[in-house]
Amino acid sequence: MTEGPQDALYREVVLDHHRHPRGARPLERFDVQASGKNPSCGDEVTLQVAFDGDRIAAVGVLSQGCAISTSSGSMMAELVVGRTVEEAAQVAERFKKVMHGDDVPAEVDLGDLEALTGVRKFPVRVKCALLPWITLLDAILARRQGRAASDRVMDVTFEERS
Amino acid sequence: MTEGPQDALYREVVLDHHRHPRGARPLERFDVQASGKNPSCGDEVTLQVAFDGDRIAAVGVLSQGCAISTSSGSMMAELVVGRTVEEAAQVAERFKKVMHGDDVPAEVDLGDLEALTGVRKFPVRVKCALLPWITLLDAILARRQGRAASDRVMDVTFEERS
Amino acid sequence: MRQSGRSTDVDSLATGLARDRFPLLARTIGDRPLHYLDTAATSQKPEAVLAALAHFYRHQNANVHRGLNTLAEEATEAYERCRRRVAGWVGAPDAAGVVITRGATSSLNLLAHGLEHLLLPGDEILLTEMEHHANLVPWQMLARRRGLQLRFIPVRDDGELDLDRLPELLGERTRVVSLVHASNVLGTVNPVAEVADRSRQRGILTVVDAAQSAGHLPLDFAAVGADFLVFSAHKAYGPMGLGFLVARPEALERLEPLEGGGEMIEWVDLESSTWAEVPRRFEAGTPNVAAAAAFPAAIDLIEELGAPAIRRHEAAVTAYALDCLQDLGGLTIYGPADSERRGGLVSFWDPLVHPHDLSTILDRHGVVVRAGHHCAQPLHRRLGVPATTRASFGLYTRRDDIDALIEGIRDARKVFAR
Amino acid sequence: MRQSGRSTDVDSLATGLARDRFPLLARTIGDRPLHYLDTAATSQKPEAVLAALAHFYRHQNANVHRGLNTLAEEATEAYERCRRRVAGWVGAPDAAGVVITRGATSSLNLLAHGLEHLLLPGDEILLTEMEHHANLVPWQMLARRRGLQLRFIPVRDDGELDLDRLPELLGERTRVVSLVHASNVLGTVNPVAEVADRSRQRGILTVVDAAQSAGHLPLDFAAVGADFLVFSAHKAYGPMGLGFLVARPEALERLEPLEGGGEMIEWVDLESSTWAEVPRRFEAGTPNVAAAAAFPAAIDLIEELGAPAIRRHEAAVTAYALDCLQDLGGLTIYGPADSERRGGLVSFWDPLVHPHDLSTILDRHGVVVRAGHHCAQPLHRRLGVPATTRASFGLYTRRDDIDALIEGIRDARKVFAR
Ligand SMILES: Cc1ncc(COP(=O)(O)O)c(C=O)c1O
Ligand SMILES: Cc1ncc(COP(=O)(O)O)c(C=O)c1O
């Protein structure tokens, strides 16, 4: 049996996040709880977000799913804590654009998230990568609207591209 | 403009029946009236049959339709008047078999009807040719069951092949 | 009044457009070359569509959406590409408003069921006297289920809709207007934008049956302003088993799905389920991915030739056919006299030869026409004939097809005059 | 208990049956040869089917039934020949009992609507916990419309139906039993003849979903004794956009049509219509004539190889796959352990690698499997996993496809163990 092809997607950084997910614990205190599901594969994520004024103070990322969605959630925990809501939303929007194959200025730095762009070939997997981020946008929206919770089911074919 | 192909179907005998249909007048007195329609083309025939005991004494064939159905009705008027009900039904059954392409002993003589067998290629036209005959079988059945009238709509694809 | 005719030939009349790309047109009937004059029933397919179909089955065949692998992804992309191409082609604002169905008939049934929950007993649906059974029977079935009234815009003797009656027919209770864009019997091109506009003012939904216009007349969903537009691929040079329901996604949101099954659901429990987003909600089960993968090749051809050029060509063929048939004398020709006001077909009645006899004799000439009620029985009753003979045209139709038709009619008349 | 396995190889295990007649199987994924293990989603097509499809479009393309010419007659004959061939192939007593649909999902929706008028609030429909959404959601929709109760035959831990529960589940109010012949997740081959027999004794209608068995297991409608049987052509080596509802013509007579339109009517007035005879009553609109013309070539292949030989081959592949997967260790494998009691597929859960990750990594090996709920969400909840990985087989599957799968799983585990 020959050696398998070197896998460009499951790079060490992705696997590391998958094995040691950051922020993967329930928060004691949070302002908004948002959950998202991808019915096509059963991926689920629940985000608990604590705000400090306009900043994200802490995030709890409770993921159940494949390595792409868990590592994406873990990377999110690393990227957004300490940022303003505005900055976090920008990262989320940029990541969405990149994953949908839209042109994005090269200077945009997505950090570890770059490692996930290899799934663009498979829209179903794009969903996996986006699930935590779209759920984060839901949490931010809920915060702005003064709600404490949100729930969302993602569709495979026609997602919110706007 | 070249001469059209000699048409094997519209032979003189067919056209003669079409132009001068036999029995094409309402009867003063009849025992059974049966009508048949072919919705796919609008062909209609109404048969009036007068019986003399077990024999067909007279037939009125009131056709509205194409040359195939009117000539078939006209040939019927020629073939069945004076025959017993049994004999007429046999001719009808044989003609049905021939038109459906089933094997029929060569000795069966269908008279002028032979000229109509050229339509076998087109099942829709087979319906035209059979319409008067199936209506006759309906009339005979009505007679046997002591009814004075019958009505039938023919289906194009799945006809009574039995 | 005839505006165009033998004298206003466009160049393409002699040759047809792109005729050599349609392999079937090279076949013979007996020893005669084929003259295919039944495009309104189904169009012939260009080589590129057959190649795309074969390519799909040879290289990409897989089920869609559910896959996480290269093959399924290529198949999904081919399928979704069809949706996008159709949206762009017919001027739909959003590909998410394009439902892929198995044909115009299915699209109309989907609508007639999908709107049911919005209607109350006594509500009215306005149709026309010239509808194909596909745009009549589903509404009859709905009317019976729901206790609705059907109303009909009458057809005038010149083959046009009597739109003077519209104000009185668009009543208080009218909820839906559904009408054909180009009649498959009369050829009449109806002013669908005007009807849609007058309906919208009263909050009435408009459905346009574009089965005969898609691929033949320039089509612009946004400009028409209707809520729903339906057509089949197979009449627009595409494969069989494929059709579309075009709408704005918000309009689709209002419809209940007709069929349940895989792909149209979100969460399924044993007792109940929730639906997926539109348009997937209306696409239960394995779709005809191969046909969807192939149809864009037909759109390519239409766009390469240009919808206006195709329209000009079909109008020229129609004008020529109208002239030739008129010259024969003794025929009743239905629909508008002006070829500019009609799609590419002519239906007529010859009192000397029944349509069935005529089409059988034409077959011996290699001429394929259609004889019957063309799935429009009520219209034929309105016209007062049990059946008509219809010659219908496509981009590939050329003058000698019409000449063969005329020769065949002459021959048939000779047979019956003997 | 495993009965067969690596030791009971049939000759065909090394080569597959007729594999070289399936052009797509020669393609590569990246630089790897393709190993197609997703036949349960859709089968690949033999050259003969593609040739028949192309032949139709190149030589016979026309609409059916309404034509009075050679071309339309050839198309009609090709279409009706499909009906007769299917009837003969599945042992239906009469071709007039075969409805041509666009797929198994459409057939099941046709049934769920068609039977509606026979059912009363409180009546019960019995399904199983292992149904595909196609045999679940249409009945849920019907139950909601009509106020019916759904009941479910449970799935035992060994993947078999718990038929001990049947006497209590077949109640006074049970009117319809609908169950899958071969599960698309567990592989379980259900004793449909036994269920049909016990239902018939109580006057209950039986529906068999043969989507996974047609073309894979020997199928005999008369012997099964069900009232209705449905399947899709595309899973049985035929084209997409085509399916069947098989019944006795008398049983079809009891169904109301779901779709209205051309071809399914007899007389149409503006206000109401009467239906054509069965089966035409259920075939509104232009059917997929091309697909129907091509499907008999798939039946030819199946009959040439012989249904029992195909079955033996698929059972051997399944036994081999079960053995190899077992040897890997640590996997949960679903469905009966005995390959003789299951169709040609294996679904499993690897706690080390999520199915989605596994299928992505397998794709790099050229191995096409399916990961997800396989349109059977309730069954997956019953199994206690969000998704499974499924490898499914056809007559062309051979040992090296399984070996590549195993190698791919090993590689995935290595990736995740790093
Ligand atoms: C058991 C079963 N039933 C029904 C279906 C539905 O078949 P189709 O999608 O071809 O309509 C499938 C296929 O996914 C199946 O596996
Ligand atoms: C005007 C019109 N509407 C609807 C249809 C139905 O189309 P299909 O048979 O492809 O579903 C046709 C085709 O016969 C048509 O001409």
Side-chain angles (χ1 to χ4, degrees):
Chain A
M1 214 165 277
T2 63
E3 207 39 42
Q6 265 309 86
D7 204 294
L9 181 56
Y10 295 99
R11 299 221 305 266
E12 196 43 51
V13 54
V14 173
L15 293 169
D16 182 64
H17 276 281
H18 175 54
R19 279 188 292 245
H20 312 291
R22 331 298 193 243
R25 38 104 198 64
L27 298 187
E28 306 246 306
R29 189 199 69 72
F30 54 87
D31 300 294
V32 172
Q33 172 160 317
S35 57
K37 300 183 187 184
N38 185 344
S40 73
C41 56
D43 282 353
E44 293 191 25
V45 67
T46 297
L47 291 187
Q48 298 173 338
V49 191
F51 296 93
D52 174 11
D54 199 34
R55 287 193 186 271
I56 295 179
V59 184
V61 187
L62 311 170
S63 284
Q64 201 195 356
C66 65
I68 303 301
S69 76
T70 54
S71 62
S72 177
S74 167
M75 293 169 186
M76 190 184 75
E78 264 189 4
L79 276 165
V80 303
V81 174
R83 299 219 195 197
T84 65
V85 167
E86 195 54 49
E87 287 164 351
Q90 264 170 24
V91 177
E93 293 296 349
R94 275 174 194 156
F95 186 48
K96 273 172 66 180
K97 283 216 179 71
V98 169
M99 295 305 277
H100 285 137
D102 297 343
D103 281 341
V104 168
E107 68 265 25
V108 172
D109 180 17
L110 293 172
D112 288 357
L113 279 176
E114 296 286 357
L116 290 177
T117 55
V119 301
R120 276 181 299 199
K121 208 175 123 197
F122 302 131
V124 182
R125 308 286 343 245
V126 166
K127 287 280 176 186
C128 303
L130 290 183
L131 181 61
W133 292 90
I134 287 175
T135 309
L136 177 68
L137 289 172
D138 284 345
I140 291 173
L141 188 70
R143 164 75 169 178
R144 287 189 178 137
Q145 298 176 341
R147 289 180 287 116
S150 117
D151 239 316
R152 114 121 58 198
V153 170
M154 289 180 71
D155 186 70
V156 181
T157 321
F158 288 89
E159 54 232 30
E160 2 359 78
R161 298 197 55 148
S162 54
Chain B
M1 216 166 275
T2 63
E3 205 43 40
Q6 266 309 88
D7 204 293
L9 181 56
Y10 295 99
R11 299 222 303 268
E12 196 44 52
V13 53
V14 173
L15 293 169
D16 182 65
H17 276 282
H18 174 54
R19 279 189 293 246
H20 312 291
R22 329 301 192 244
R25 38 103 197 63
L27 297 188
E28 305 245 306
R29 188 199 71 72
F30 54 86
D31 299 294
V32 171
Q33 172 160 316
S35 57
K37 300 182 187 185
N38 185 342
S40 73
C41 56
D43 281 354
E44 294 192 22
V45 66
T46 296
L47 290 187
Q48 298 172 337
V49 191
F51 295 94
D52 176 10
D54 200 33
R55 285 189 188 273
I56 294 178
V59 184
V61 187
L62 312 170
S63 284
Q64 202 197 354
C66 66
I68 302 302
S69 76
T70 56
S71 63
S72 178
S74 167
M75 292 169 186
M76 190 185 73
E78 265 189 4
L79 275 165
V80 303
V81 174
R83 299 219 194 196
T84 64
V85 166
E86 196 54 48
E87 288 164 351
Q90 263 169 26
V91 177
E93 292 295 351
R94 275 175 192 156
F95 186 48
K96 273 171 65 178
K97 282 217 179 71
V98 169
M99 295 305 276
H100 285 136
D102 296 343
D103 280 342
V104 167
E107 67 265 24
V108 172
D109 181 16
L110 292 173
D112 288 357
L113 279 177
E114 295 284 358
L116 290 177
T117 54
V119 301
R120 275 181 299 198
K121 209 174 122 197
F122 303 131
V124 182
R125 311 282 347 240
V126 166
K127 287 280 175 185
C128 303
L130 289 183
L131 182 61
W133 292 91
I134 286 176
T135 309
L136 177 68
L137 289 173
D138 283 345
I140 291 173
L141 187 69
R143 165 74 170 180
R144 285 188 181 141
Q145 298 177 339
R147 289 179 288 116
S150 115
D151 240 316
R152 117 119 59 197
V153 170
M154 287 178 72
D155 186 71
V156 181
T157 321
F158 288 88
E159 55 230 28
E160 347 20 63
R161 298 197 56 149
S162 53
Chain C
M1 242 201 28
R2 191 76 28 82
Q3 296 292 355
S4 47
R6 244 170 289 189
S7 52
T8 59
D9 270 2
V10 296
D11 292 349
S12 60
L13 184 53
T15 56
L17 295 168
R19 183 171 174 116
D20 56 358
R21 300 197 215 166
F22 290 80
L24 187 138
L25 297 179
R27 83 162 260 179
T28 54
I29 300 285
D31 57 355
R32 298 295 184 110
L34 169 68
H35 297 285
Y36 187 73
L37 294 174
D38 200 16
T39 293
T42 196
S43 67
Q44 295 306 330
K45 320 302 173 204
E47 194 63 57
V49 166
L50 306 190
L53 207 52
H55 179 81
F56 176 81
Y57 279 129
R58 282 174 195 282
H59 301 286
Q60 307 184 308
N61 178 61
N63 215 322
V64 289
H65 295 316
R66 284 166 276 185
L68 294 158
N69 54 71
T70 306
L71 198 62
E73 213 29 69
E74 287 177 20
T76 302
E77 169 52 22
Y79 184 68
E80 294 302 330
R81 178 166 171 266
C82 176
R83 199 190 303 277
R84 295 193 303 270
R85 287 285 277 137
V86 164
W89 176 49
V90 304
D94 189 338
V98 176
V99 183
I100 300 181
T101 72
R102 71 171 175 79
T105 300
S106 279
S107 300
L108 287 162
N109 280 282
L110 194 164
L111 270 175
H113 273 90
L115 292 168
E116 178 165 348
H117 69 119
L118 300 174
L119 301 172
L120 295 173
D123 281 349
E124 292 175 12
I125 293 177
L126 183 59
L127 307 171
T128 85
E129 277 182 356
M130 65 168 80
E131 296 311 312
H132 187 280
H133 294 165
N135 195 28
L136 173 58
V137 181
W139 303 112
Q140 290 178 346
M141 294 165 88
L142 170 62
R144 182 167 326 166
R145 287 196 304 275
R146 205 68 180 165
L148 312 179
Q149 284 297 115
L150 300 183
R151 298 258 175 275
F152 297 90
I153 306 176
V155 173
R156 297 191 319 219
D157 287 342
D158 63 358
E160 305 265 3
L161 287 180
D162 188 355
L163 290 186
D164 294 345
R165 298 282 306 282
L166 205 51
E168 112 208 32
L169 286 166
L170 284 179
E172 279 298 306
R173 300 296 303 267
T174 311
R175 297 286 173 265
V176 180
V177 178
S178 187
L179 80 168
V180 73
H181 188 190
S183 160
N184 70 316
V185 176
L186 303 170
T188 318
V189 178
N190 291 316
V192 284
E194 183 190 332
V195 174
D197 187 47
R198 288 161 76 172
S199 303
R200 198 176 35 244
Q201 289 168 17
R202 294 156 170 268
I204 298 166
L205 293 172
T206 312
V207 180
V208 171
D209 174 359
Q212 290 297 336
S213 48
H216 300 275
L217 304 176
L219 206 58
D220 186 338
F221 175 73
V224 167
D227 296 281
F228 302 101
L229 184 128
V230 306
F231 63 95
S232 294
H234 74 95
K235 293 181 199 270
Y237 312 109
M240 286 177 156
L242 185 74
F244 303 91
L245 166 63
V246 178
R248 279 169 299 104
E250 307 83 77
L252 290 184
E253 294 283 357
R254 303 181 62 186
L255 303 177
E256 283 288 321
L258 171 55
E259 295 198 334
E263 288 305 308
M264 58 75 71
I265 51 77
E266 193 182 74
W267 293 103
V268 178
D269 281 320
L270 283 174
E271 304 295 340
S272 66
S273 307
T274 59
W275 307 151
E277 303 280 298
V278 303
R280 278 211 301 143
R281 185 180 303 169
F282 306 104
E283 298 178 5
T286 302
N288 193 341
V289 193
F295 187 44
I299 302 179
D300 289 345
L301 175 64
I302 292 165
E303 294 189 336
E304 175 197 329
L305 300 173
I310 293 173
R311 167 65 183 143
R312 271 199 309 281
H313 173 74
E314 289 192 14
V317 174
T318 305
Y320 181 70
L322 282 169
D323 264 14
C324 294
L325 288 166
Q326 207 80 49
D327 286 354
L328 274 177
L331 297 181
T332 306
I333 299 173
Y334 300 101
D338 177 1
S339 64
E340 296 299 320
R341 299 188 60 79
R342 54 191 296 158
L345 58 84
V346 183
S347 300
F348 59 89
W349 168 261
D350 186 343
L352 302 177
V353 192
H354 188 280
H356 277 196
D357 297 317
L358 180 56
S359 82
T360 300
I361 290 176
L362 287 174
D363 187 60
R364 312 297 167 98
H365 287 254
V367 176
V368 169
V369 295
R370 204 145 275 247
H373 52 63
H374 316 300
C375 295
Q377 288 182 8
L379 176 61
H380 278 80
R381 271 192 285 282
R382 163 72 182 81
L383 301 176
V385 284
T388 53
T389 304
R390 179 184 74 189
S392 60
F393 321 126
L395 53 87
Y396 39 65
T397 310
R398 61 186 182 192
R399 184 192 283 133
D400 80 339
D401 297 323
I402 309 298
D403 293 340
L405 167 70
I406 300 298
E407 180 194 326
I409 299 174
R410 286 223 172 83
D411 181 45
R413 287 175 156 198
K414 238 180 283 168
V415 169
F416 279 84
R418 270 198 300 241
Chain D
M1 242 201 32
R2 191 76 29 79
Q3 295 293 354
S4 46
R6 245 172 286 189
S7 53
T8 61
D9 271 359
V10 297
D11 291 351
S12 59
L13 184 54
T15 56
L17 296 168
R19 184 171 173 115
D20 56 358
R21 300 197 214 166
F22 289 80
L24 188 137
L25 296 180
R27 84 162 261 180
T28 54
I29 300 285
D31 58 353
R32 297 294 183 111
L34 169 69
H35 296 286
Y36 187 73
L37 294 173
D38 200 16
T39 293
T42 196
S43 67
Q44 296 306 331
K45 321 304 173 201
E47 194 63 59
V49 166
L50 305 190
L53 207 52
H55 180 83
F56 176 82
Y57 280 129
R58 283 172 193 284
H59 300 287
Q60 308 186 307
N61 178 59
N63 214 320
V64 290
H65 295 317
R66 285 167 275 187
L68 294 158
N69 55 70
T70 306
L71 198 61
E73 212 30 69
E74 287 177 20
T76 303
E77 169 53 21
Y79 185 68
E80 293 302 330
R81 179 167 170 266
C82 175
R83 198 190 304 278
R84 295 193 303 269
R85 286 286 277 136
V86 165
W89 176 49
V90 304
D94 189 338
V98 176
V99 182
I100 300 181
T101 71
R102 72 171 175 78
T105 300
S106 279
S107 301
L108 287 162
N109 279 282
L110 194 163
L111 269 175
H113 274 90
L115 292 168
E116 178 166 347
H117 69 119
L118 300 175
L119 301 173
L120 295 173
D123 281 350
E124 293 175 11
I125 293 177
L126 183 59
L127 308 171
T128 84
E129 278 182 354
M130 65 168 79
E131 295 311 314
H132 186 280
H133 294 164
N135 195 28
L136 173 57
V137 182
W139 302 112
Q140 290 178 345
M141 294 165 87
L142 170 62
R144 183 168 324 168
R145 287 197 304 276
R146 205 66 180 168
L148 311 180
Q149 284 298 116
L150 300 183
R151 298 258 175 275
F152 297 89
I153 306 176
V155 173
R156 296 190 320 218
D157 287 341
D158 64 357
E160 305 266 0
L161 287 179
D162 187 356
L163 291 184
D164 294 346
R165 298 282 305 281
L166 206 51
E168 111 209 34
L169 286 166
L170 284 177
E172 277 300 306
R173 300 297 301 271
T174 312
R175 296 285 173 265
V176 180
V177 177
S178 187
L179 80 168
V180 72
H181 188 190
S183 161
N184 69 317
V185 177
L186 303 171
T188 318
V189 178
N190 291 316
V192 286
E194 183 190 332
V195 174
D197 188 47
R198 288 161 75 173
S199 304
R200 197 175 38 244
Q201 290 168 17
R202 294 155 172 268
I204 298 167
L205 293 172
T206 312
V207 180
V208 171
D209 174 359
Q212 289 297 339
S213 48
H216 300 274
L217 303 175
L219 206 58
D220 186 338
F221 175 73
V224 167
D227 296 280
F228 302 101
L229 184 129
V230 306
F231 63 95
S232 295
H234 74 95
K235 294 181 199 271
Y237 311 108
M240 286 177 155
L242 185 73
F244 303 91
L245 166 62
V246 178
R248 280 169 300 103
E250 308 82 76
L252 290 185
E253 295 283 356
R254 302 180 63 187
L255 303 177
E256 283 288 321
L258 171 55
E259 296 199 333
E263 287 305 308
M264 58 74 72
I265 51 77
E266 193 181 77
W267 293 103
V268 178
D269 281 321
L270 282 175
E271 304 295 340
S272 66
S273 306
T274 59
W275 307 150
E277 303 279 300
V278 304
R280 277 212 301 141
R281 183 181 305 169
F282 306 104
E283 298 178 5
T286 302
N288 193 342
V289 193
F295 188 44
I299 302 178
D300 288 346
L301 174 63
I302 292 165
E303 293 187 337
E304 176 197 329
L305 300 173
I310 292 173
R311 168 63 183 145
R312 270 199 310 280
H313 173 73
E314 290 193 12
V317 174
T318 305
Y320 181 70
L322 283 170
D323 263 12
C324 294
L325 289 167
Q326 207 79 48
D327 285 355
L328 275 178
L331 297 181
T332 307
I333 299 173
Y334 300 101
D338 178 0
S339 64
E340 295 300 320
R341 298 188 62 79
R342 53 192 294 158
L345 58 85
V346 182
S347 300
F348 58 90
W349 167 260
D350 185 343
L352 302 177
V353 191
H354 189 280
H356 277 196
D357 296 317
L358 180 57
S359 83
T360 300
I361 290 176
L362 287 175
D363 186 60
R364 312 297 167 96
H365 287 255
V367 176
V368 170
V369 296
R370 203 146 277 248
H373 52 63
H374 317 299
C375 294
Q377 289 182 6
L379 175 61
H380 277 79
R381 270 192 286 281
R382 164 74 182 80
L383 301 177
V385 283
T388 52
T389 304
R390 179 185 74 190
S392 60
F393 320 124
L395 53 87
Y396 39 64
T397 310
R398 61 186 181 193
R399 185 192 284 133
D400 79 341
D401 297 324
I402 308 298
D403 293 340
L405 166 69
I406 301 299
E407 182 193 326
I409 298 174
R410 286 223 172 84
D411 182 45
R413 287 177 156 198
K414 239 179 283 168
V415 169
F416 279 83
R418 269 199 300 238

